[in-house]
Amino acid sequence: MTDTPFVTPAWLAAHLDAPGLVVVDGSYYLSTMGRDAEAEFREGHIPGAIRFDIDAVRDEGSDLPHMLPTPEVFAARVGEMGIGDGMQIVVYDGAGLFSAPRVWWTFETFGASDVSILEGGFPAWKAAGLPVEEGPARPRAKRSFTPRVDHSAVADLADVRRALETGSAQVVDARPADRFAGRAPEPRPGVRSGHMPGAYNVPFAEIVQDGRLADADTIRAALDRAGVDPSRPVITSCGSGVSAAILSLAFEKIGRPARSLYDGSWAEWGTRDDCPVETDDR
């Protein structure tokens, strides 16, 4: 198996008006990127697309960034967006491939049955000379979304601790190497630098090329360099659960789906005094 849920810009352009299809702009950027996802959407988006903001559709009772909301909240919010049962969902982002996998993973975790990612994202759409729409999203009729949560797809702090202590799963961190090693500061204030003892590092930039997921051989090579055995269970992690989904997508591509994604990721682990942190001083 080497399959991933991508559709090409040409395919999407040909099916843009198909009944039951909804295009979702899932753009999100770190503060260090200096980009405004909402402003960029208003300046130009795929015609008919809606905005899915992971900082808005989240667990508002948590002080961690964009944690998954409850099933009831998720169902209500996406239903208001016009996304309902049985619809075909195509997600993209403005970076090419950064936050769209997080939105893909979110919909799949809540039980959506047909979720795809636009290959190359909005940059590829524009490069193909396809139409762009300005302004806010068009209102869509409210739909009913029935959440069917795959709890096994989400790892919490206890799951990660258990995996690290027992070796029951490999924790693979998608953050850049300097942040993983503790040589570069975290972008969020109050978060320690370094990594979980026993975690592996596969920076997401090593498996994303020109806004697209790298081929299977490149992914396998990156895992091999990091010492990750794709035949063993994996929990993906990162700074706040966004680029971890790129790793999850990569494991799907090589036919070795990750066991789960650590939703709290380093934003949780790196702020807790009871969670050990290692750094690489070399």
Side-chain angles (χ1 to χ4, degrees), residues 50-121:
I50 62 169
R51 268 284 293 146
F52 185 98
D53 182 354
I54 61 173
D55 277 335
V57 186
R58 63 178 180 85
D59 179 1
E60 295 185 356
S62 173
D63 57 1
L64 295 171
H66 37 256
M67 294 285 284
L68 290 179
T70 65
E72 295 76 18
V73 168
F74 182 82
R77 295 298 301 276
V78 300
E80 290 166 359
M81 295 175 189
I83 303 175
D85 294 339
M87 296 186 75
Q88 184 174 15
I89 303 164
V90 178
V91 185
Y92 73 91
D93 66 50
L97 190 72
F98 179 60
S99 56
R102 167 73 187 200
V103 179
W104 160 80
W105 173 80
T106 298
F107 273 100
E108 289 222 324
T109 297
F110 281 110
S113 59
D114 193 348
V115 191
S116 303
I117 298 172
L118 178 63
E119 190 171 38

Side-chain angles (χ1 to χ4, degrees), residues 37-223:
E38 187 63 36
E40 289 185 15
F41 180 85
R42 290 175 177 268
E43 290 168 4
H45 54 265
I46 295 175
I50 62 169
R51 268 284 293 146
F52 185 98
D53 182 354
I54 61 173
D55 277 335
V57 186
R58 63 178 180 85
D59 179 1
E60 295 185 356
S62 173
D63 57 1
L64 295 171
H66 37 256
M67 294 285 284
L68 290 179
T70 65
E72 295 76 18
V73 168
F74 182 82
R77 295 298 301 276
V78 300
E80 290 166 359
M81 295 175 189
I83 303 175
D85 294 339
M87 296 186 75
Q88 184 174 15
I89 303 164
V90 178
V91 185
Y92 73 91
D93 66 50
L97 190 72
F98 179 60
S99 56
R102 167 73 187 200
V103 179
W104 160 80
W105 173 80
T106 298
F107 273 100
E108 289 222 324
T109 297
F110 281 110
S113 59
D114 193 348
V115 191
S116 303
I117 298 172
L118 178 63
E119 190 171 38
F122 196 46
W125 180 270
K126 291 188 293 183
L130 295 166
V132 172
E133 182 176 75
E134 298 178 355
R138 304 179 204 161
R140 298 177 67 96
K142 186 175 180 179
R143 300 271 188 144
S144 176
F145 184 92
T146 306
R148 298 175 177 86
V149 185
D150 179 5
H151 294 286
S152 68
V154 188
D156 61 16
L157 181 64
D159 295 324
V160 174
R161 276 185 166 144
R162 189 178 309 111
L164 293 169
E165 290 169 0
T166 67
S168 59
Q170 303 162 103
V171 179
V172 186
D173 191 325
R175 288 178 299 151
D178 280 355
R179 285 172 57 192
F180 182 86
R183 293 189 293 264
E186 287 297 303
R188 292 180 177 83
V191 181
R192 294 173 293 172
S193 297
H195 59 269
M196 307 166 199
Y200 299 84
N201 184 214
V202 179
F204 75 89
E206 294 187 4
I207 56 171
V208 175
Q209 299 174 338
D210 299 321
R212 291 172 169 82
L213 188 64
D215 60 48
D217 287 343
T218 299
I219 293 168
R220 291 190 189 98
L223 297 176

